């Protein structure tokens, strides 16, 4: 885990992304997706660092997907440090952020609250 990369503006875990060898994170200004990322554009316009810092319950851009949406809700409720702590503990316990391609242990959820509980505990309920 590259904790220093933290959480992307949209909520994805830059710190665990397998593509982070070529990416310095969306806050670096070097993100290859920076020109089309709706969440980056919106948070910059609002002057906030992350979607979880916004008062709106937004589901635009990458927040239409359950993983970044749940990560944002987790950070809103418990803070980014707690999210990073849980992701790090889960990784050490063998939870995979994503395997080859995009699917990992955080991806097979349809219920946001169940995913938040999985982030918190590293166990499926």
């Amino acid at each position: 885990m590259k904790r220093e990369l933290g959480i992307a503006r949209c909520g994805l875990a830059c710190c665990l992304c397998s593509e982070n060898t070529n990416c310095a994170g969306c806050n670096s200004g070097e993100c290859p997706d920076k020109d089309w990322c709706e969440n980056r554009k919106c948070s910059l316009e609002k002057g906030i660092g992350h979607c979880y810092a916004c008062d709106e319950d937004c589901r635009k851009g990458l927040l239409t997907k359950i993983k970044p949406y749940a990560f944002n809700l987790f950070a809103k409720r418990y803070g980014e440090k707690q999210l990073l702590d849980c992701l790090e503990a889960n990784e050490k316990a063998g939870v995979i952020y994503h395997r080859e391609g995009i699917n990992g242990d955080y991806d097979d959820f349809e219920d946001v609250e169940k995913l938040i509980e999985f982030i918190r505990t590293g166990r499926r309920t």
Side-chain angles (χ1 to χ4, degrees):
M1 179 168 167
K2 291 186 175 179
R3 193 176 179 107
E4 67 277 9
L5 292 180
I7 303 298
R9 290 176 178 267
C10 66
L12 290 175
C14 294
C15 58
L16 291 172
C17 182
S18 62
E19 297 172 20
N20 67 19
T21 57
N22 299 324
C23 178
C26 65
N27 287 323
S28 70
E30 298 174 19
C31 175
D33 301 326
K34 70 181 180 185
D35 293 331
W36 66 262
C37 181
E38 189 173 355
N39 302 101
R40 181 180 188 277
K41 180 181 175 188
C42 180
S43 61
L44 285 171
E45 287 172 359
K46 291 182 177 186
I48 57 177
H50 296 85
C51 293
Y52 67 74
C54 185
D55 293 332
E56 295 177 36
D57 183 25
C58 175
R59 295 297 297 253
K60 65 182 170 185
L62 287 172
L63 296 179
T64 60
K65 300 181 182 296
I66 192 168
K67 183 166 60 175
Y69 184 70
F71 281 31
N72 264 290
L73 284 179
F74 189 101
K76 253 184 199 194
R77 292 176 188 172
Y78 307 109
E80 184 176 342
K81 181 187 178 311
Q82 184 66 31
L83 176 57
L84 290 170
D85 289 348
C86 288
L87 294 174
E88 188 169 32
N90 290 346
E91 181 187 43
K92 287 177 182 174
V95 174
I96 305 295
Y97 182 66
H98 53 184
R99 292 175 177 82
E100 225 173 282
I102 196 150
N103 289 327
D105 294 323
Y106 296 100
D107 292 302
D108 291 331
F109 287 85
E110 293 180 20
D111 182 283
V112 172
E113 293 303 324
K114 286 184 179 182
L115 177 50
I116 288 172
E117 185 63 13
F118 180 71
I119 295 165
R120 203 176 66 71
T121 65
R123 293 186 310 272
R124 291 185 180 266
T125 57

